Amino acid sequence: MLIFGAIVVICGMQAVNYGRYISGRIDGLSDVPEKKVSPDEENVADRLLKRNFSDILETVKRNIFAKIVKEQPVFEQKKVKVDEPLFEVLDIEPKSLDIEYLGRILFADNNVVAQVNFQDRSYIVESGSHLAGYEVVFLDSNNIHLKDKEGEIIKLVYRKKGFGKEMTAQIKETKTNQIQVVTKGSEVFGYKVLDIDKTSVLLSKQGQHLKLQKGKVYSR
């Protein structure tokens, strides 16, 4: 019994000493001077807190389990224009005058009287005669020279078709296979013919020009 009582007394004394130790530690903590925070440091802390809070909210809004898809750069798609052939110049030649040197009468003094057909009618002409706006300025057994109002000379060869200085062109529209014979100033498939030379045809539509070369296929 004496031993048991001694143990109880010793444990009680240790408990009292431990309580005093704890109280001393608490009092020591209360003696630590309080650190003051400057207004600038407080503003920085507030901003950091707000930013962290905003990041947390943004993370919550996002579906963190969704698969992240990397955005692909958007490239502008260029339209490839496929030109279909529409025009082909089949032929270019001087314009027919519809005048032919078909017959002649030769005299002993070397004078010649000629038979000339013009638009399915026959005319007898000699040097100095006038025919369809032309003047006969030269006449022999093989040739007739006609002068127009502009002073241009046109030559007719015996028994051959006569051609003037003006050019004509045969143009085919390849989609429909339609062929038109055109001269300067005429219309062809919605285009106006501005000029024709021995190798090309110059067309115009709404201020845009298109030059067609003989033997080549072009698109609009």
Side-chain angles (χ1 to χ4, degrees):
M1 294 294 291
L2 291 175
I3 296 173
F4 179 75
I7 293 173
V8 172
V9 172
I10 292 172
C11 290
M13 292 177 66
Q14 289 180 349
V16 172
N17 292 333
Y18 183 73
R20 289 177 180 175
Y21 172 76
I22 294 301
S23 298
R25 295 290 293 176
I26 294 173
D27 293 339
L29 291 174
S30 62
D31 293 338
V32 177
E34 181 181 357
K35 183 180 179 181
K36 294 184 179 181
V37 180
S38 66
D40 293 339
E41 292 177 338
E42 185 178 1
N43 292 336
V44 172
D46 289 341
R47 289 198 297 270
L48 290 175
L49 180 60
K50 291 180 181 179
R51 187 180 67 183
N52 293 337
F53 185 70
S54 300
D55 294 342
I56 294 172
L57 288 179
E58 190 65 27
T59 303
V60 173
K61 290 180 182 179
R62 292 198 305 265
N63 184 359
I64 61 176
F65 299 101
K67 183 179 180 181
I68 299 177
V69 179
K70 185 178 181 181
E71 293 185 1
Q72 299 295 329
V74 179
F75 298 98
E76 183 180 357
Q77 184 177 4
K78 295 183 179 180
K79 296 181 179 180
V80 179
K81 183 180 178 182
V82 179
D83 290 333
E84 297 183 11
L86 295 177
F87 296 136
E88 182 180 3
V89 179
L90 301 178
D91 193 18
I92 297 177
E93 62 181 5
K95 181 180 179 181
S96 173
L97 294 177
D98 202 16
I99 299 177
E100 291 184 76
Y101 181 7
L102 290 182
R104 60 199 176 185
I105 302 174
L106 302 178
F107 294 95
D109 57 1
N110 294 325
N111 286 332
V112 180
V113 174
Q115 176 191 350
V116 177
N117 278 21
F118 175 66
Q119 295 182 348
D120 299 327
R121 296 185 61 180
S122 294
Y123 298 85
I124 302 299
V125 297
E126 58 184 355
S127 184
S129 299
H130 290 81
L131 171 67
Y134 297 95
E135 180 184 0
V136 180
V137 294
F138 176 79
L139 175 60
D140 65 12
S141 59
N142 295 313
N143 300 278
I144 296 178
H145 294 181
L146 304 177
K147 184 173 70 173
D148 62 15
K149 295 179 180 180
E150 285 74 29
E152 294 287 341
I153 301 297
I154 299 171
K155 297 179 180 181
L156 301 180
V157 180
Y158 183 64
R159 294 291 178 99
K160 290 186 178 180
K161 194 173 184 179
F163 295 94
K165 298 291 183 179
E166 187 177 0
M167 307 297 290
T168 65
Q170 293 185 31
I171 300 178
K172 181 173 76 172
E173 212 281 344
T174 59
K175 280 188 173 181
T176 60
N177 288 326
Q178 294 184 23
I179 298 176
Q180 291 189 20
V181 178
V182 299
T183 58
K184 182 178 179 180
S186 61
E187 298 282 338
V188 54
F189 305 115
Y191 287 77
K192 184 175 182 179
V193 180
L194 295 183
D195 194 19
I196 303 175
D197 58 28
K198 294 181 179 180
T199 60
S200 64
V201 180
L202 182 61
L203 304 180
S204 175
K205 183 178 183 181
Q206 297 178 350
Q208 295 184 351
H209 293 172
L210 179 62
K211 189 173 185 179
L212 309 180
Q213 297 286 341
K214 182 180 178 181
K216 295 184 179 180
V217 178
Y218 287 80
S219 60
R220 289 181 183 176

